[in-house]
Amino acid sequence: MCCCCNDGPRGYEASPTRRGFLKVAGGAALGLAPFSSSFAAPTKAPPKPENVLSPNAALDRLMKGNQHYIEGVSKRHDFKHEREALTKGQNPYAGVLSCADSRIAPEYAFDAGRGDLFVCRVAGNLINDDVIASFEYAVSALNTPLILVLGHQACGAVDAAIKSIKSGTSLPGHLPSLVTALTPAVKAALDQPGDNLDNAIRQNVVLTVAALKTATPILNEAVERKKIRVVGAVYDLAHGRVEMVS
Ligand SMILES: [Zn+2]
């Protein structure tokens, strides 16, 4: 069940099956340490101490990394060294939900290395049970302090949803599931002045941020305790700039 199937943002509760997976199978399925409570304390030193940041500091680091990417001065990554440091675990400083579009690459866009970003990618950067569960894991088990929803200019998934809704035609295969998830954003943007596609892309980010913030029982609690921030942005294809929208 998708949070975006009804108009407007609302709370989201992951299915009991998903919660069970996180609590019981937990790290065993992912090759990471299991955790028994929603906010288990880390049991060992994090592999990347520089990634232990407040939510605001994590956002500041993302935006500084984006500026490096825009200016073409991204740092060189020593992947050989990073592989060794990350064999015992991970502590990414930000979660990113981005579109599957091949032109959007979060690690490049934020000048980040391995172990820095916990990335979920799906066409239209929408959320479902699996995305919610993934970020619950990042927040609870990995202590990730920030989640960024990253839409992008000229998103084909949002454009297809707009055309399907306006024409009343159904797309082939499993594509209608994307249209269903994106319908609240598309409808909310229909009456807004300006470019319809740009507005729907921004609206989709705004609604997805709101849904993540109110996703019970883990993410909403983390937001209320100020353990994490959930923010939204749109990526500009031509310049690589990430503009905050919520
Ligand atoms: Zn897209």
Side-chain angles (χ1 to χ4, degrees):
M1 178 178 176
C2 174
C3 72
C4 299
C5 293
N6 296 323
D7 288 341
R10 65 177 177 81
Y12 189 106
E13 181 164 3
S15 69
T17 301
R18 291 297 175 195
R19 290 200 302 273
F21 161 76
L22 285 166
K23 193 168 184 178
V24 179
L30 298 173
L32 299 163
F35 59 103
S36 58
S37 66
S38 294
F39 301 105
T43 56
K44 57 186 178 183
K48 284 196 158 184
E50 70 274 21
N51 283 3
V52 179
L53 298 170
S54 69
N56 289 341
L59 180 57
D60 185 57
R61 183 168 164 189
L62 277 183
M63 299 314 291
K64 285 179 178 174
N66 180 239
Q67 191 61 39
H68 295 162
Y69 170 72
I70 292 167
E71 296 172 359
V73 293
S74 298
K75 60 179 176 285
R76 181 183 180 279
H77 292 283
D78 181 355
F79 292 113
K80 183 177 181 180
H81 172 74
E82 289 182 349
R83 280 198 298 270
E84 176 64 27
L86 293 168
T87 55
K88 301 295 190 297
Q90 59 170 322
N91 62 312
Y93 72 85
V96 178
L97 171 57
S98 81
C99 184
D101 192 302
S102 65
R103 299 166 294 180
I104 315 303
E107 280 85 357
Y108 289 157
F110 297 110
D111 192 20
R114 292 175 65 243
D116 288 339
L117 304 181
F118 190 94
V119 179
C120 294
R121 301 189 65 170
V122 61
N125 44 273
L126 49 89
I127 63 168
N128 54 25
D129 265 2
D130 301 302
V131 171
I132 294 273
S134 298
F135 286 130
E136 286 178 338
Y137 185 84
V139 169
S140 300
L142 308 179
N143 290 309
T144 300
L146 178 74
I147 299 173
L148 172 71
V149 178
L150 184 62
H152 71 95
Q153 184 185 33
C155 181
V158 177
D159 190 41
I162 292 172
K163 289 173 178 170
S164 176
I165 291 166
K166 282 187 172 179
S167 66
T169 57
S170 183
L171 297 173
H174 292 73
L175 290 169
S177 69
L178 296 180
V179 176
T180 299
L182 293 167
T183 293
V186 171
K187 288 187 174 179
L190 284 178
D191 296 329
Q192 296 174 353
D195 184 86
N196 192 202
L197 177 57
D198 288 344
N199 290 338
I201 289 167
R202 293 171 70 93
Q203 193 65 39
N204 181 44
V205 170
V206 169
L207 293 180
T208 303
V209 167
L212 283 170
K213 281 182 175 178
T214 54
T216 59
I218 294 176
L219 297 183
N220 71 320
E221 182 185 347
V223 170
E224 289 166 8
R225 294 175 55 195
K226 302 188 187 305
K227 174 183 167 72
I228 67 167
R229 280 187 68 188
V230 183
V231 297
V234 173
Y235 177 91
D236 174 78
L237 285 177
H239 306 98
R241 187 173 301 283
V242 172
E243 179 193 359
M244 303 304 299
V245 299
S246 66

